[in-house]
Amino acid sequence: MKSEEIFEMFNDIDDSFVDAAFPNEEKSEVVQPQEIHMTKRHLPWGIAAAAAACLAVCAAVGAVIAVNIGKGKIPVVPNGPTQSSLNTIAAEEIYPGYTDSELPLTFTIEELGILQYFQIRNDKTIMRLSTFDMNIDGWGVFSNKVYVRSVYLCDLNFDGYREIAAAVTNESGEKSVRVADVRNQKEYEYKVEGYESRWHYDSLVLKDKKLYLCTADGSHVSKETLSFDDLELVVDKIVEPVVTDQKIESAENDKVRLSVGIPKSEYKKGEIIDLTAEVYNKSDKTFYIVSPTSTREAHLDIKTVISLGENKLVDMDEVQFGNDMMEYIPVNPGELYTVVRRFDTSNAEVGVYGVFSTVIVTDGFNADVTEDVTVKFQIEITSGASDEPATDPVTPDDPSESTEPEPLSSVFENDKLRLQVDLEKYAYKKGDIITVDAEVTNKSDKKFYIFVPTATADTHTEIRTNISLDDRKLNDIDAVRYWDDAIKLIPLEPGESFTLKKVRFDTTYTGDELLGISNQPVQSGIYQGITTVTILDSPGFETPAESYYTSFAISIM
Amino acid sequence: MPFMEDTEIIRKFMERSDTAVGELQLKYKNYCGKIAMNILNSHEESEECVNDAMMRIWELIPPHDPKSLRAFLGKVTRNLAINRLKKLTAEKRGSGEITAVYEELSELISGKADIEQQYERSEIIREINAFLSSLPEQNRNIFVLRYWYCDSVKSIAETLGTNENNVSVTLSRVRKKLKTHLRKRGYEI
């Protein structure tokens, strides 16, 4: 889709949004100016004094409002509400004892019952307590006489309890952010100083300020970037590995960062390859790592495959059995999930191996949509076998297994359907034919229809598979090179399956004749595959189409 | 003189009154002009576009009986302006704010969508509406002013009483959120 098409598509957004966004000039013109007739009258001194006092108060209030508007604290929306859309409440309403000289430090914030006082819309880490400035004279863990501009509850040290964070100004006028860790009776202060931290327009921006260690064992540190966005305190959490000799390869999306520590890029045959893989939750919501243990390899939480052509290294920690359960591993905001994988090179062929680690995450147990992130890199196994035996040689139960190509399966499953994709192996040489089998099974107790946007029987659009590296897409050999405007629906009764067998992809050339792209030689690398099925609940298109997909990765050497 | 109420203008269109277009023009000429100008960046073209829109409303009401006359008229104007822009672009004319808007919207394109992934436009619109509903009002207004009205960042900042930096940052974040929102629901545009 092109930008122009997206812009054009926006034309159909809800009328109410269109109406609300635009200043209502027409209505403002309806209001006619009023003539004001002033008559000079004498007031008694007492009333005049009272009026003067009122004026002074009004002027002061007006000044405060003007300052706040100038700072963007009160969103000014013509003909719109003048309040923030955030649920805000004054701190004293939340915690009546906040002005006391001592906080009951033996209790956690939750135990104090603070959180029950305001509506929690979701499990956001950051919660603003007040939009009003407060003058607090000695606030427990805070120092004396600070002018608290705004107060937030946020879990800044990932201990599962929210700390009190406040933007404050002290008597000298210095601005800073202070964090009171009530549970641990600690106070942190981050002064606004240097080029890393500054007041930017109306926002306090703290750049690259290290707030705390992320993990207790010190293996990782975290960096925080604090900023005030509108009326919210924004904390962008960035976790970086400690300084290490290991090379780190990472891949990420908006939610997940997957990092793999690589001790070295070259191994002698017989050595153990020891890789550490980590999943970090970058978002402000808990997600779940999906571990489909029903397959033979039970270590699919962070699946790591090292292969050369058809040969795959033996995962020494691999569990050779599983059950039918899908395992969901929760990862809270800011948390790390780490696994260590050891691979045996005893029976490995010499050469450059492709390594890819993949994690699949979902928002919840019942979420239909999963996301995956894959880290790709290469390591080399050399022939100069070490004179010394491997530190921990492990021979697989059946050595022949390590040379046999392992089949690759990828499954999406929910209450409604199961979508399974099977490939013969993970790794291919250029010129190989990739053969994909795909099957959709109706798991529900109702009939549904597979949506096929063409009348042609063999375009593989019943279950669509794309395999690509960046913008290079492998050619589907069996695809029919024409389309028409008709559609068809394939009914699927409860328990019934629809299967597409042996859809072939060429690994010699990429390109798409249909799109008029000329063929280009296939490049080596890790290719991403995605298989999608679209279904309708009824044949009459009364229900919206739902698409489900499962993804996989293959290596072309 | 106060402008005529929208319901009254619509009634005039329904009755095929000679004064309907005049009342509509009187009240909404500036509004439509701004939409057209933001997209076309040409007074001459915008004026023609607004005139076209007014006449088009004559053809559309009846049968349509819009709930919001302003939004209805705005959409007609916007569509006509986009069509006119396409023609101008083909003739290598036209520029201005729309170029920047297109560039920003290109961030929403995943590049993963191919010819086999032809989603129903109505499905995507439904998701976009759901996404907009979930936004704080201020952010939603910024987004709509930029990508519906094609308003400049400076103008949005002035309208909403904030600064340009805040508007730019908000737009950037909302674009990313929208892309994620769509992707999570299986739409790669």
Side-chain angles (χ1 to χ4, degrees), chain A residues 1 3 7-15 18-19 22-23 26 29 76 81 85 200 202 229-230 254 369 466, chain B residues 3 27 68 70 75 78-79 86 102 109 114 121 125 129 136-137 139 147-149 159-160 163 165 173 180 184:
Chain A
M1 191 174 276
S3 307
F7 181 72
E8 206 171 331
M9 189 170 64
F10 282 157
N11 208 47
D12 292 338
I13 65 171
D14 203 280
D15 282 359
V18 175
D19 246 349
F22 199 84
E26 293 76 24
E29 288 183 41
V76 181
S85 57
H200 183 63
D202 56 319
D229 178 33
D230 293 337
D254 293 342
V369 180
N466 286 322
Chain B
F3 292 123
K27 187 168 182 180
S68 166
R70 192 170 76 147
K75 286 187 174 184
R78 191 175 185 268
N79 260 339
K86 283 178 186 169
Y102 283 167
I109 301 168
D114 62 21
R121 181 181 159 128
I125 284 294
N129 278 330
E137 187 171 6
N139 291 0
Y147 301 122
W148 200 96
Y149 286 101
T159 304
L160 299 182
N163 59 58
N165 181 59
R173 286 185 176 147
T180 307
K184 275 183 183 173

Short mmCIF file of all heavy atoms in Angstrom, two decimals, chain A residues 1 3 7-15 18-19 22-23 26 29 76 81 85 200 202 229-230 254 369 466, chain B residues 3 27 68 70 75 78-79 86 102 109 114 121 125 129 136-137 139 147-149 159-160 163 165 173 180 184:
data_model
loop_
_atom_site.label_atom_id
_atom_site.label_comp_id
_atom_site.label_asym_id
_atom_site.label_seq_id
_atom_site.Cartn_x
_atom_site.Cartn_y
_atom_site.Cartn_z
N MET A 1 0.84 -1.19 0.00
CA MET A 1 0.00 0.00 0.00
C MET A 1 0.88 1.25 0.00
O MET A 1 1.93 1.28 0.65
CB MET A 1 -0.89 -0.02 1.24
CG MET A 1 -1.98 1.01 1.22
SD MET A 1 -3.11 0.86 2.61
CE MET A 1 -4.24 -0.37 2.05
N SER A 3 1.62 5.49 0.48
CA SER A 3 1.23 6.56 1.42
C SER A 3 -0.04 7.25 0.95
O SER A 3 -0.92 7.57 1.74
CB SER A 3 2.33 7.60 1.51
OG SER A 3 3.55 7.01 1.81
N PHE A 7 -3.45 7.76 3.02
CA PHE A 7 -4.04 9.09 3.25
C PHE A 7 -5.49 9.11 2.75
O PHE A 7 -6.38 9.64 3.41
CB PHE A 7 -3.19 10.13 2.50
CG PHE A 7 -3.68 11.55 2.68
CD1 PHE A 7 -3.52 12.21 3.88
CD2 PHE A 7 -4.29 12.22 1.63
CE1 PHE A 7 -3.96 13.50 4.05
CE2 PHE A 7 -4.74 13.51 1.79
CZ PHE A 7 -4.56 14.16 3.00
N GLU A 8 -5.69 8.49 1.61
CA GLU A 8 -7.03 8.45 1.03
C GLU A 8 -7.97 7.60 1.90
O GLU A 8 -9.12 7.95 2.11
CB GLU A 8 -6.94 7.85 -0.37
CG GLU A 8 -8.04 8.29 -1.29
CD GLU A 8 -7.78 7.86 -2.73
OE1 GLU A 8 -6.61 7.73 -3.12
OE2 GLU A 8 -8.75 7.65 -3.45
N MET A 9 -7.41 6.53 2.43
CA MET A 9 -8.22 5.61 3.25
C MET A 9 -8.70 6.30 4.54
O MET A 9 -9.78 6.02 5.03
CB MET A 9 -7.38 4.40 3.61
CG MET A 9 -8.13 3.28 4.26
SD MET A 9 -7.10 1.81 4.35
CE MET A 9 -5.81 2.35 5.44
N PHE A 10 -7.85 7.21 5.07
CA PHE A 10 -8.23 7.93 6.29
C PHE A 10 -9.52 8.73 6.11
O PHE A 10 -10.12 9.16 7.08
CB PHE A 10 -7.11 8.87 6.73
CG PHE A 10 -5.97 8.18 7.42
CD1 PHE A 10 -4.71 8.75 7.46
CD2 PHE A 10 -6.14 6.95 8.03
CE1 PHE A 10 -3.66 8.11 8.09
CE2 PHE A 10 -5.09 6.30 8.66
CZ PHE A 10 -3.85 6.89 8.68
N ASN A 11 -9.90 8.94 4.86
CA ASN A 11 -11.12 9.71 4.62
C ASN A 11 -12.32 9.08 5.31
O ASN A 11 -13.28 9.75 5.65
CB ASN A 11 -11.38 9.79 3.12
CG ASN A 11 -12.15 11.05 2.75
OD1 ASN A 11 -11.80 12.13 3.21
ND2 ASN A 11 -13.19 10.91 1.96
N ASP A 12 -12.25 7.76 5.52
CA ASP A 12 -13.41 7.06 6.06
C ASP A 12 -13.40 6.93 7.57
O ASP A 12 -14.20 6.19 8.13
CB ASP A 12 -13.50 5.65 5.43
CG ASP A 12 -13.85 5.72 3.97
OD1 ASP A 12 -14.40 6.75 3.57
OD2 ASP A 12 -13.55 4.77 3.23
N ILE A 13 -12.49 7.63 8.24
CA ILE A 13 -12.52 7.52 9.70
C ILE A 13 -13.78 8.16 10.24
O ILE A 13 -14.45 8.93 9.54
CB ILE A 13 -11.27 8.15 10.37
CG1 ILE A 13 -11.22 9.65 10.12
CG2 ILE A 13 -10.01 7.45 9.93
CD1 ILE A 13 -10.14 10.34 10.92
N ASP A 14 -14.09 7.82 11.46
CA ASP A 14 -15.35 8.22 12.06
C ASP A 14 -15.56 9.74 12.01
O ASP A 14 -14.66 10.53 12.29
CB ASP A 14 -15.35 7.76 13.53
CG ASP A 14 -16.76 7.63 14.04
OD1 ASP A 14 -17.35 8.68 14.40
OD2 ASP A 14 -17.25 6.51 14.05
N ASP A 15 -16.79 10.14 11.64
CA ASP A 15 -17.12 11.56 11.55
C ASP A 15 -16.85 12.31 12.84
O ASP A 15 -16.44 13.47 12.83
CB ASP A 15 -18.60 11.73 11.20
CG ASP A 15 -18.86 11.47 9.72
OD1 ASP A 15 -17.88 11.18 9.01
OD2 ASP A 15 -20.03 11.54 9.30
N VAL A 18 -13.38 13.56 13.07
CA VAL A 18 -13.16 14.66 12.13
C VAL A 18 -13.75 15.95 12.70
O VAL A 18 -13.12 17.00 12.68
CB VAL A 18 -13.80 14.33 10.77
CG1 VAL A 18 -13.68 15.51 9.81
CG2 VAL A 18 -13.16 13.10 10.16
N ASP A 19 -14.93 15.80 13.24
CA ASP A 19 -15.62 16.98 13.79
C ASP A 19 -14.90 17.52 15.01
O ASP A 19 -14.73 18.73 15.16
CB ASP A 19 -17.05 16.57 14.17
CG ASP A 19 -18.08 17.29 13.31
OD1 ASP A 19 -17.67 18.22 12.58
OD2 ASP A 19 -19.25 16.92 13.34
N PHE A 22 -11.35 19.60 14.54
CA PHE A 22 -11.23 20.90 13.90
C PHE A 22 -11.89 21.98 14.74
O PHE A 22 -13.01 21.81 15.21
CB PHE A 22 -11.89 20.85 12.51
CG PHE A 22 -11.43 21.96 11.61
CD1 PHE A 22 -10.25 21.82 10.88
CD2 PHE A 22 -12.16 23.13 11.48
CE1 PHE A 22 -9.83 22.84 10.04
CE2 PHE A 22 -11.73 24.14 10.66
CZ PHE A 22 -10.56 24.01 9.93
N PRO A 23 -11.19 23.10 14.92
CA PRO A 23 -11.78 24.19 15.70
C PRO A 23 -13.10 24.62 15.08
O PRO A 23 -13.20 24.77 13.86
CB PRO A 23 -10.75 25.31 15.58
CG PRO A 23 -9.52 24.67 15.10
CD PRO A 23 -9.89 23.43 14.37
N GLU A 26 -17.04 28.22 12.86
CA GLU A 26 -18.36 28.69 12.42
C GLU A 26 -19.24 29.07 13.60
O GLU A 26 -19.90 30.07 13.62
CB GLU A 26 -19.07 27.61 11.60
CG GLU A 26 -18.41 27.34 10.27
CD GLU A 26 -17.15 26.51 10.42
OE1 GLU A 26 -17.03 25.78 11.42
OE2 GLU A 26 -16.27 26.61 9.55
N GLU A 29 -18.39 32.21 15.32
CA GLU A 29 -18.83 33.42 14.65
C GLU A 29 -20.29 33.74 14.96
O GLU A 29 -20.74 34.84 14.74
CB GLU A 29 -18.64 33.26 13.13
CG GLU A 29 -17.18 33.31 12.72
CD GLU A 29 -17.03 33.23 11.22
OE1 GLU A 29 -17.83 33.88 10.53
OE2 GLU A 29 -16.14 32.52 10.77
N VAL A 76 -5.10 22.65 25.64
CA VAL A 76 -6.06 23.65 25.17
C VAL A 76 -6.65 23.15 23.87
O VAL A 76 -6.01 23.15 22.84
CB VAL A 76 -5.38 25.00 24.96
CG1 VAL A 76 -6.40 26.03 24.51
CG2 VAL A 76 -4.72 25.45 26.25
N PRO A 81 -12.72 19.48 25.99
CA PRO A 81 -12.55 19.52 27.43
C PRO A 81 -11.22 20.17 27.79
O PRO A 81 -10.26 20.09 27.02
CB PRO A 81 -12.57 18.05 27.82
CG PRO A 81 -12.17 17.32 26.60
CD PRO A 81 -12.66 18.13 25.46
N SER A 85 -7.12 13.76 29.82
CA SER A 85 -7.89 12.54 29.70
C SER A 85 -7.39 11.49 30.69
O SER A 85 -7.98 10.44 30.83
CB SER A 85 -7.80 12.00 28.28
OG SER A 85 -6.46 11.79 27.95
N HIS A 200 13.42 20.85 28.46
CA HIS A 200 13.24 21.05 27.03
C HIS A 200 11.82 21.52 26.81
O HIS A 200 10.87 20.78 27.05
CB HIS A 200 13.48 19.73 26.30
CG HIS A 200 13.40 19.86 24.81
ND1 HIS A 200 14.26 20.63 24.09
CD2 HIS A 200 12.54 19.30 23.94
CE1 HIS A 200 13.93 20.54 22.82
NE2 HIS A 200 12.89 19.75 22.69
N ASP A 202 8.59 22.56 27.73
CA ASP A 202 7.94 22.41 29.02
C ASP A 202 8.18 21.02 29.60
O ASP A 202 7.51 20.59 30.52
CB ASP A 202 6.44 22.64 28.87
CG ASP A 202 5.84 21.71 27.83
OD1 ASP A 202 6.50 21.52 26.79
OD2 ASP A 202 4.77 21.18 28.07
N ASP A 229 5.78 13.38 28.93
CA ASP A 229 5.07 13.49 27.66
C ASP A 229 3.63 13.85 27.99
O ASP A 229 2.95 13.09 28.65
CB ASP A 229 5.15 12.17 26.91
CG ASP A 229 4.38 12.23 25.61
OD1 ASP A 229 4.34 13.30 24.99
OD2 ASP A 229 3.80 11.22 25.23
N ASP A 230 3.19 14.98 27.52
CA ASP A 230 1.88 15.47 27.93
C ASP A 230 1.85 15.47 29.45
O ASP A 230 2.65 16.10 30.09
CB ASP A 230 0.75 14.61 27.35
CG ASP A 230 0.69 14.74 25.84
OD1 ASP A 230 1.18 15.76 25.33
OD2 ASP A 230 0.19 13.83 25.20
N ASP A 254 8.83 -3.47 18.78
CA ASP A 254 8.39 -2.48 19.76
C ASP A 254 8.26 -3.08 21.16
O ASP A 254 8.29 -2.37 22.16
CB ASP A 254 7.03 -1.90 19.36
CG ASP A 254 7.15 -1.08 18.10
OD1 ASP A 254 8.29 -0.71 17.77
OD2 ASP A 254 6.13 -0.83 17.45
N VAL A 369 -3.04 -13.46 18.38
CA VAL A 369 -1.89 -13.00 17.60
C VAL A 369 -0.60 -13.24 18.36
O VAL A 369 -0.49 -12.94 19.54
CB VAL A 369 -2.04 -11.50 17.29
CG1 VAL A 369 -0.85 -11.01 16.47
CG2 VAL A 369 -3.33 -11.24 16.55
N ASN A 466 4.44 -17.15 2.32
CA ASN A 466 5.48 -16.29 1.73
C ASN A 466 6.79 -16.58 2.43
O ASN A 466 6.83 -16.68 3.66
CB ASN A 466 5.14 -14.81 1.94
CG ASN A 466 4.03 -14.35 1.04
OD1 ASN A 466 3.95 -14.76 -0.11
ND2 ASN A 466 3.15 -13.52 1.56
N PHE B 3 -24.76 32.21 11.57
CA PHE B 3 -24.93 31.25 10.48
C PHE B 3 -26.16 30.39 10.74
O PHE B 3 -26.58 30.20 11.88
CB PHE B 3 -23.71 30.35 10.38
CG PHE B 3 -22.48 31.08 9.91
CD1 PHE B 3 -21.33 31.09 10.67
CD2 PHE B 3 -22.50 31.77 8.71
CE1 PHE B 3 -20.21 31.76 10.24
CE2 PHE B 3 -21.37 32.45 8.28
CZ PHE B 3 -20.23 32.45 9.05
N LYS B 27 -21.38 29.40 5.33
CA LYS B 27 -20.95 28.88 6.62
C LYS B 27 -19.64 28.09 6.54
O LYS B 27 -18.81 28.15 7.44
CB LYS B 27 -22.05 27.98 7.20
CG LYS B 27 -21.77 27.51 8.62
CD LYS B 27 -22.99 26.87 9.25
CE LYS B 27 -22.71 26.45 10.69
NZ LYS B 27 -23.86 25.82 11.32
N SER B 68 -23.59 14.57 10.63
CA SER B 68 -22.77 15.77 10.81
C SER B 68 -22.51 16.37 9.43
O SER B 68 -21.77 15.81 8.63
CB SER B 68 -21.44 15.41 11.48
OG SER B 68 -20.54 16.50 11.35
N ARG B 70 -20.90 19.02 8.67
CA ARG B 70 -19.52 19.52 8.51
C ARG B 70 -18.57 18.39 8.13
O ARG B 70 -17.77 18.51 7.20
CB ARG B 70 -19.06 20.20 9.80
CG ARG B 70 -17.78 20.99 9.59
CD ARG B 70 -17.44 21.85 10.78
NE ARG B 70 -16.91 21.07 11.87
CZ ARG B 70 -15.99 21.53 12.71
NH1 ARG B 70 -15.53 22.76 12.59
NH2 ARG B 70 -15.55 20.78 13.69
N LYS B 75 -15.41 15.51 4.16
CA LYS B 75 -14.97 14.29 3.47
C LYS B 75 -15.11 14.43 1.95
O LYS B 75 -14.24 13.99 1.20
CB LYS B 75 -15.77 13.09 3.96
CG LYS B 75 -15.37 12.65 5.35
CD LYS B 75 -16.04 11.37 5.77
CE LYS B 75 -15.47 10.91 7.11
NZ LYS B 75 -16.00 9.63 7.55
N ARG B 78 -12.34 16.69 0.84
CA ARG B 78 -11.05 16.00 0.92
C ARG B 78 -10.89 15.04 -0.25
O ARG B 78 -9.83 14.97 -0.88
CB ARG B 78 -10.98 15.24 2.24
CG ARG B 78 -9.62 14.68 2.59
CD ARG B 78 -9.67 14.07 3.97
NE ARG B 78 -8.38 13.61 4.45
CZ ARG B 78 -7.91 12.38 4.28
NH1 ARG B 78 -8.62 11.50 3.63
NH2 ARG B 78 -6.72 12.04 4.76
N ASN B 79 -11.95 14.29 -0.55
CA ASN B 79 -11.89 13.35 -1.67
C ASN B 79 -11.65 14.07 -2.99
O ASN B 79 -10.82 13.65 -3.81
CB ASN B 79 -13.22 12.58 -1.77
CG ASN B 79 -13.10 11.22 -1.15
OD1 ASN B 79 -11.99 10.70 -1.02
ND2 ASN B 79 -14.22 10.64 -0.77
N LYS B 86 -4.11 14.13 -7.56
CA LYS B 86 -3.59 13.06 -8.41
C LYS B 86 -3.38 13.57 -9.83
O LYS B 86 -2.36 13.28 -10.47
CB LYS B 86 -4.58 11.89 -8.42
CG LYS B 86 -4.53 11.02 -7.18
CD LYS B 86 -5.58 9.94 -7.30
CE LYS B 86 -5.68 9.13 -6.01
NZ LYS B 86 -6.86 8.26 -6.02
N TYR B 102 2.64 12.57 3.26
CA TYR B 102 2.86 11.27 2.60
C TYR B 102 4.12 10.60 3.15
O TYR B 102 4.15 9.40 3.38
CB TYR B 102 3.02 11.46 1.09
CG TYR B 102 1.71 11.68 0.34
CD1 TYR B 102 1.70 12.13 -0.97
CD2 TYR B 102 0.49 11.42 0.95
CE1 TYR B 102 0.52 12.33 -1.67
CE2 TYR B 102 -0.70 11.62 0.27
CZ TYR B 102 -0.69 12.08 -1.03
OH TYR B 102 -1.86 12.27 -1.70
N ILE B 109 3.88 1.83 6.43
CA ILE B 109 3.96 0.74 5.46
C ILE B 109 5.00 -0.26 5.93
O ILE B 109 6.14 0.10 6.21
CB ILE B 109 4.33 1.28 4.06
CG1 ILE B 109 3.28 2.30 3.61
CG2 ILE B 109 4.46 0.15 3.06
CD1 ILE B 109 3.68 3.09 2.39
N ASP B 114 1.91 -7.99 0.35
CA ASP B 114 2.11 -8.20 -1.07
C ASP B 114 0.75 -8.33 -1.73
O ASP B 114 -0.29 -8.13 -1.11
CB ASP B 114 3.00 -9.42 -1.35
CG ASP B 114 2.37 -10.68 -0.83
OD1 ASP B 114 1.15 -10.69 -0.63
OD2 ASP B 114 3.10 -11.64 -0.61
N ARG B 121 -10.69 -2.94 2.89
CA ARG B 121 -10.45 -1.58 3.36
C ARG B 121 -11.29 -1.28 4.61
O ARG B 121 -10.83 -0.64 5.54
CB ARG B 121 -10.80 -0.63 2.22
CG ARG B 121 -10.60 0.82 2.50
CD ARG B 121 -11.02 1.59 1.27
NE ARG B 121 -11.34 2.96 1.59
CZ ARG B 121 -10.82 4.00 0.96
NH1 ARG B 121 -9.95 3.81 0.01
NH2 ARG B 121 -11.16 5.22 1.28
N ILE B 125 -10.14 0.19 8.23
CA ILE B 125 -10.75 1.42 8.76
C ILE B 125 -11.35 1.16 10.14
O ILE B 125 -11.23 1.98 11.05
CB ILE B 125 -11.85 1.92 7.79
CG1 ILE B 125 -11.19 2.58 6.57
CG2 ILE B 125 -12.78 2.91 8.45
CD1 ILE B 125 -10.44 3.85 6.88
N ASN B 129 -10.30 3.17 13.41
CA ASN B 129 -11.27 3.86 14.28
C ASN B 129 -11.15 3.38 15.72
O ASN B 129 -11.20 4.18 16.66
CB ASN B 129 -12.69 3.62 13.78
CG ASN B 129 -13.05 4.57 12.64
OD1 ASN B 129 -12.55 5.69 12.57
ND2 ASN B 129 -13.89 4.12 11.74
N PRO B 136 -5.77 9.26 23.84
CA PRO B 136 -6.20 10.45 24.56
C PRO B 136 -6.69 11.50 23.55
O PRO B 136 -6.17 11.55 22.42
CB PRO B 136 -4.93 10.93 25.26
CG PRO B 136 -4.04 9.76 25.30
CD PRO B 136 -4.38 8.92 24.10
N GLU B 137 -7.65 12.30 23.95
CA GLU B 137 -8.29 13.22 23.01
C GLU B 137 -7.28 14.14 22.32
O GLU B 137 -7.35 14.36 21.11
CB GLU B 137 -9.34 14.05 23.73
CG GLU B 137 -10.15 14.90 22.78
CD GLU B 137 -11.33 15.56 23.46
OE1 GLU B 137 -11.44 15.45 24.69
OE2 GLU B 137 -12.12 16.19 22.77
N ASN B 139 -4.11 13.68 21.68
CA ASN B 139 -3.31 12.96 20.68
C ASN B 139 -4.15 12.63 19.45
O ASN B 139 -3.66 12.70 18.32
CB ASN B 139 -2.74 11.67 21.28
CG ASN B 139 -1.69 11.94 22.32
OD1 ASN B 139 -1.38 13.11 22.60
ND2 ASN B 139 -1.14 10.92 22.92
N TYR B 147 -3.34 14.15 9.62
CA TYR B 147 -3.50 13.17 8.55
C TYR B 147 -4.89 13.15 7.92
O TYR B 147 -5.11 12.44 6.95
CB TYR B 147 -3.11 11.77 9.06
CG TYR B 147 -1.69 11.75 9.53
CD1 TYR B 147 -1.36 11.38 10.83
CD2 TYR B 147 -0.66 12.16 8.69
CE1 TYR B 147 -0.05 11.41 11.27
CE2 TYR B 147 0.65 12.19 9.11
CZ TYR B 147 0.95 11.81 10.40
OH TYR B 147 2.24 11.86 10.83
N TRP B 148 -5.79 13.88 8.50
CA TRP B 148 -7.08 14.04 7.82
C TRP B 148 -7.16 15.43 7.21
O TRP B 148 -7.42 15.58 6.02
CB TRP B 148 -8.24 13.80 8.80
CG TRP B 148 -9.51 13.47 8.09
CD1 TRP B 148 -10.00 12.23 7.85
CD2 TRP B 148 -10.44 14.40 7.51
NE1 TRP B 148 -11.17 12.32 7.14
CE2 TRP B 148 -11.48 13.64 6.92
CE3 TRP B 148 -10.51 15.79 7.42
CZ2 TRP B 148 -12.55 14.21 6.26
CZ3 TRP B 148 -11.58 16.36 6.77
CH2 TRP B 148 -12.59 15.59 6.20
N TYR B 149 -6.87 16.44 8.04
CA TYR B 149 -6.95 17.81 7.53
C TYR B 149 -5.67 18.25 6.83
O TYR B 149 -5.62 19.32 6.25
CB TYR B 149 -7.25 18.78 8.68
CG TYR B 149 -8.69 18.70 9.16
CD1 TYR B 149 -9.02 18.00 10.31
CD2 TYR B 149 -9.72 19.31 8.45
CE1 TYR B 149 -10.33 17.91 10.75
CE2 TYR B 149 -11.03 19.22 8.88
CZ TYR B 149 -11.34 18.53 10.02
OH TYR B 149 -12.63 18.45 10.44
N THR B 159 -3.14 25.80 17.09
CA THR B 159 -4.55 25.49 17.35
C THR B 159 -4.74 24.88 18.73
O THR B 159 -5.68 25.21 19.45
CB THR B 159 -5.07 24.49 16.30
OG1 THR B 159 -4.86 25.04 15.01
CG2 THR B 159 -6.55 24.20 16.49
N LEU B 160 -3.82 23.98 19.10
CA LEU B 160 -4.00 23.25 20.35
C LEU B 160 -3.24 23.85 21.51
O LEU B 160 -3.19 23.27 22.60
CB LEU B 160 -3.59 21.78 20.15
CG LEU B 160 -4.40 21.02 19.10
CD1 LEU B 160 -3.95 19.57 19.03
CD2 LEU B 160 -5.89 21.08 19.38
N ASN B 163 3.46 23.26 21.66
CA ASN B 163 4.57 23.64 20.79
C ASN B 163 4.77 22.61 19.68
O ASN B 163 4.27 21.49 19.76
CB ASN B 163 5.85 23.84 21.60
CG ASN B 163 6.25 22.59 22.35
OD1 ASN B 163 6.44 21.54 21.75
ND2 ASN B 163 6.34 22.67 23.68
N ASN B 165 7.35 20.97 18.76
CA ASN B 165 8.10 19.78 19.13
C ASN B 165 7.17 18.72 19.73
O ASN B 165 7.24 17.54 19.40
CB ASN B 165 9.18 20.15 20.15
CG ASN B 165 10.00 18.95 20.56
OD1 ASN B 165 10.62 18.30 19.72
ND2 ASN B 165 9.97 18.62 21.84
N ARG B 173 4.96 9.11 17.80
CA ARG B 173 4.56 8.01 18.69
C ARG B 173 3.25 7.38 18.24
O ARG B 173 3.10 6.16 18.27
CB ARG B 173 4.43 8.53 20.13
CG ARG B 173 5.78 8.78 20.75
CD ARG B 173 5.66 9.16 22.19
NE ARG B 173 7.00 9.31 22.75
CZ ARG B 173 7.33 10.16 23.70
NH1 ARG B 173 6.43 10.96 24.20
NH2 ARG B 173 8.56 10.23 24.15
N THR B 180 1.86 -0.73 15.11
CA THR B 180 1.85 -1.90 15.99
C THR B 180 0.44 -2.44 16.16
O THR B 180 0.21 -3.65 16.12
CB THR B 180 2.41 -1.51 17.37
OG1 THR B 180 3.68 -0.89 17.18
CG2 THR B 180 2.57 -2.72 18.26
N LYS B 184 -0.52 -6.16 15.09
CA LYS B 184 -0.99 -7.13 16.08
C LYS B 184 -2.28 -7.80 15.61
O LYS B 184 -2.57 -8.92 16.00
CB LYS B 184 -1.26 -6.43 17.41
CG LYS B 184 -0.05 -6.29 18.28
CD LYS B 184 -0.49 -5.66 19.59
CE LYS B 184 0.68 -5.41 20.50
NZ LYS B 184 0.26 -4.65 21.70
#
